[in-house]
Amino acid sequence: MNIAKFIFLSSCLLTHSIFSQTTGSRTITLTLPVVTQMDVEPAGSIILNFTAPTEAGNPVIVPLVNTTKWINYTSAIALSGATRRIAASISQIIPGTDIRIQAAAASGSGGGALGLPSGQVVLTTTGQTIISGIGGAFTGNGTNNGHQLTISLTINSYADLTSRSNTPIVITYTITE
């Protein structure tokens, strides 16, 4: 056998054995539960107090707008294309006043299909949507993550105002599909 044929046949056999391939498969079981979690950070109350004017004839001084609260959420949805929303309501309406809330665009360390703010709404005892279009997403946890809330107290009718002291009003936030 000629040396060239031997080298050629040897390289073919070697190449075939180096590049021969075997495949296999394994089943992987995946579980992703439906997740709907939401909270308001940081914990604690907000104090919004009117102040009496220092001069007769001047209006009551409304409290400064509060921007210390953030909505955080985690969402994994059961149906493709489905979305969630967050609504806010108050426990009672104080005559002559409005409690307004506005969620800002999401910011911080989150990701996914984060919700879109609805703009400023006047809170009532019925839930008002403040964020919609939440898909599979997470906002990050704590302050400076999620949607910053701007909460304000305004006067809508001086004629309906009555003196009050330490009246608790609870804002309830609800996330739903």
Side-chain angles (χ1 to χ4, degrees), residues 9-174:
L9 286 174
S10 296
S11 70
C12 286
L13 290 173
L14 184 60
T15 303
H16 177 55
S17 66
I18 290 174
F19 292 108
S20 77
Q21 203 172 31
T22 310
T23 62
S25 63
R26 297 292 179 262
T27 301
I28 297 173
T29 302
L30 174 76
T31 302
L32 176 60
V34 173
V35 179
T36 310
Q37 295 179 333
M38 180 204 56
D39 67 0
V40 178
E41 299 281 351
S45 299
I46 295 172
I47 297 173
L48 298 173
N49 290 327
F50 290 107
T51 305
T54 57
E55 183 68 36
N58 286 336
V60 171
I61 301 166
V62 297
L64 295 175
V65 171
N66 185 291
T67 57
T68 62
K69 301 296 181 186
W70 292 76
I71 287 187
N72 301 158
Y73 52 82
T74 301
S75 172
I77 302 210
L79 299 173
S80 179
T83 61
R84 293 192 165 104
R85 68 184 186 92
I86 296 175
S89 63
I90 52 176
S91 57
Q92 63 177 314
I93 295 173
I94 305 300
T97 67
D98 285 333
I99 296 176
R100 298 172 185 265
I101 191 166
Q102 182 170 358
S107 63
S109 63
L114 296 166
L116 301 170
S118 301
Q120 188 179 71
V121 298
V122 175
L123 293 177
T124 67
T125 56
T126 303
Q128 308 291 317
T129 299
I130 61 171
I131 302 168
S132 62
I134 301 168
F138 71 102
T139 59
N141 186 37
T143 58
N144 301 314
N145 288 299
H147 300 265
Q148 186 175 27
L149 299 175
T150 299
I151 302 168
S152 59
L153 180 61
T154 61
I155 297 172
N156 66 28
S157 171
Y158 270 89
D160 294 333
L161 289 178
T162 57
S163 176
R164 294 176 181 272
S165 191
N166 297 319
T167 303
I169 301 169
V170 176
I171 301 175
T172 301
Y173 301 91
T174 307

